[in-house]
Structures are given as structure tokens and as C-alpha cells.
Amino acid sequence: MIKPHLFSEFAPTSKADWLNRIEKDLKGRPLSELAWELSPVALSNDTFNIDPFAHADDFDALPESLALKPSNSWDIGEDIDVSSLDYKIANKQALAALMGGANAINFIVDEYPTKNELLILIHEIELDYIAIYFTEKTGTVNPLPFLKIFYKIGVDMGKNPDVLRGGISFSPVITTNEEAREVRRMIEWVSQNLTHFKVLTIDGLSFFDGSENVIQELTDILIGGNNFLKILINNGLDSILLNNYMQFKLNIGISYFIEIAKLRAIKLLWGNVLDAYRINEQILEPSVSMPTLNAYVSSNTHVEDVHTNKIRATTQAMSAVLGGVDMLTIAPSDAIQDGESTDFSRRIARNVQHLLQMESYLDKVVDPAAGSFYIEKLTNQIAEAVWEQFQLRVK
């Protein structure tokens, strides 16, 4: 016997039907009172309102999934601030993080290490399996000489360069054609030697000013990415090559749904930018066009109480994961307190991600936020508002 479809016995309910029911439950109070107002949008000074209710009737067609990857997997990152540590101690801390379950280490340095310093820093780290990132604090020093040292060490260790992965937080200030050509040469070298390294960073960390300012934040990030595309393509860099070696850094705020929608919106917005440069139509593998998103639950959302920070980190991490990040780094709950963070607080920060991967299986679900009318609508609202501001500012 063929069973009827589960929902065939239920009559469809229109948005108008739902609104009538909501109005009755609110006892005459208007639904608009529940709308959330964000900060006025720059240039237009318009207030951005978030509708508390969404329905299938809000869409001409059901939204398509934004996931083009086979899974929702992400790297568990940990920052090691080498500038405040001896290289041997930094290596010991990195190994402890890896033993504790991290699989992406970001070394923060005042200046790129020499060959001997680098050998100490990555001692006993299995480069075949671990993503290695380097953040030079100014973000403006051309990393090509250092990348050649890293490449040579990897080859000398017997590693296949094709398995080395990670990135450099390089956000150059390009004011001349010669500076643009130097960046172009760096990217072209990486494309031939360190094919899984991201080397041009749109650093949105400094643009974060709370979830209520998400429109301004994403507009600034989009303009930064567009500026790199414009000047480097004009100086002869292949557009697909350029897109392949870019990464975005973003902070994750404490507003659960807005942060999910923010990450999904940047995917839509970057697709629009690539369309404007006619890059998307040249890309045969759709997942290549998706921006690489490295997200941070950083100490700028912390309060003095470490237990509050632990709880917040869990929901912030969920926002990042549901939004589809490629790497997530969670600051220890005691990061804003005097002195170095404890081993315990670093362990708990890592374990938040282990819970999401190994117990909640959120890495197995492709685009888990897809199909939620509220999140889909919020994603579109944010993307449309940002795109409008972007067009006004790049004219």
C-alpha cells in the first residue's frame, strides 16, 4: 500500500492566515513592534528593520542552497602569538593545541621568521595534515621571500608542495602600479608552488562594530575586495587566479541569526562582484567562486565574566558554522584578562568546536541554514542593503 505524502492531509496556510493568527495572539499590538531596528545605513541614513516573521509567500521561488561544497567541514583554528613568546615555547604551545584537537595554527609574528626560526616554530608539526597560517602584524609586508623559505623547508622535509595548505594575512596598501605588479608576481609564484595557500586577505576584523552595524561592516569588506580585484586585474593578474588566492577574515558577533545571515550574505555579494568582472562565467567548478571565510570569535565581544564568554562562544561558533565558514578560531574566555590565557581556557575554546563537529555533526550538513524562511529572508535583506551601499560608494 502506497502511503500518502505526510503533508498532503494539511491544508496550506498563507502568510495572511498566519498574520491574522499572530495579530490575535498579540491581542491587538502591531507586529511591527517586534521588528528590530539596526543602526542607520551610511550615505542613505535609512534605518534597517528586521521583520520578525517570514513565510514562503515572501519569495517568488524557494531560495537555492548557497553551499557548493560537498560538506560543511571547517578547520579548527588556534592563534599562537609568537611576538610575546620564545620560538621554542611557541612551538610547544602549537603542539599542545594540535594534541588538543586543533588542525589549523595561526602564528602571529612581529616580522616573518628566518629559516632557522621557522624550523624551530614548526618542529614536529605534520605539515601534510595541519594548515599553517602566518599573520605579520602590520599585514603589509610582501610575504614572497618568506613563502619561498617555507616552500624550501617543506620540500627538504620530503613534503609534496601540493599538500601544504594554509595562508598569509597579507593586506597590502597598493598605491602604485609597481606595488601592484609585486603583488601580482607573488600570487603567480604561489599559484605554481603553494597551490593551497591563501595569500591575499580582505581583513574585515577591524570593520566589526557589533551586529547592529552589519550593513556598514559588509559594505567595507566588499569594497576592500573589489579594490584588490580592480587594481590587480588592471595590472595584468589573471582574474580567476586572483580570486583563487583571496580569503576574507570576519569577526562573529553575539546576535545569533544576524551573524548566520551575514556570512551567507557575503557569499551572495561576492558572487555579484565576480559577475560584474565576468569572472563567474569563466569558472568551471562553482565551489571555486565561493569566498574563503575565516571567522573569529574574538575577545572584542568578551565581558569580564569568563563563564559568560564560554556560553557566548558556543552560540557565536554555531552562527559561524551554520553560516558556512572555512576556518573558525575561538578566543579563550579569559583573553581580555591580564596575563596569558590558561591551558584550560584554551582547551574549552577548542572543545566548543569539537562538540559542534563530533557530537552535533554540523560538519556533515551542507548549508544547514537553507530553507529557514526567516534566515533566507534576513540573508536577502542584508545582501540587498549592502549591495545598494556598495554601488553608491564605488561610483
Side-chain angles (χ1 to χ4, degrees), residues 67 69 71-77 252-253 256 259-261 263-264 267 293-297 313-330 349-358 360-370 375:
K69 299 187 298 182
S71 73
N72 194 43
S73 63
W74 72 92
D75 283 335
I76 298 174
I252 303 298
Y256 184 68
E259 296 300 323
I260 296 172
L263 294 166
R264 301 179 85 246
K267 297 178 182 182
L293 303 179
N294 294 344
Y296 289 79
V297 175
T314 304
T315 57
Q316 288 173 269
M318 284 185 67
S319 292
V321 169
L322 295 176
V325 298
D326 297 283
M327 183 175 79
L328 176 60
T329 303
I330 298 177
R350 288 190 296 269
N351 283 356
V352 167
Q353 301 199 54
H354 296 152
L355 288 170
L356 298 182
Q357 282 189 356
M358 300 174 189
S360 303
Y361 300 109
L362 291 183
D363 59 330
K364 308 298 183 186
V365 183
V366 176
D367 195 7
I375 295 177

Side-chain angles (χ1 to χ4, degrees), residues 34 40-41 47 56 106 145 147 170 177 183 244 292 314 320 352 362 391:
L34 302 181
V41 179
T47 300
N106 176 37
L147 289 169
F170 180 45
N177 288 337
V183 175
N244 286 351
T292 297
T314 304
V352 167
L362 291 183
Q391 290 178 304

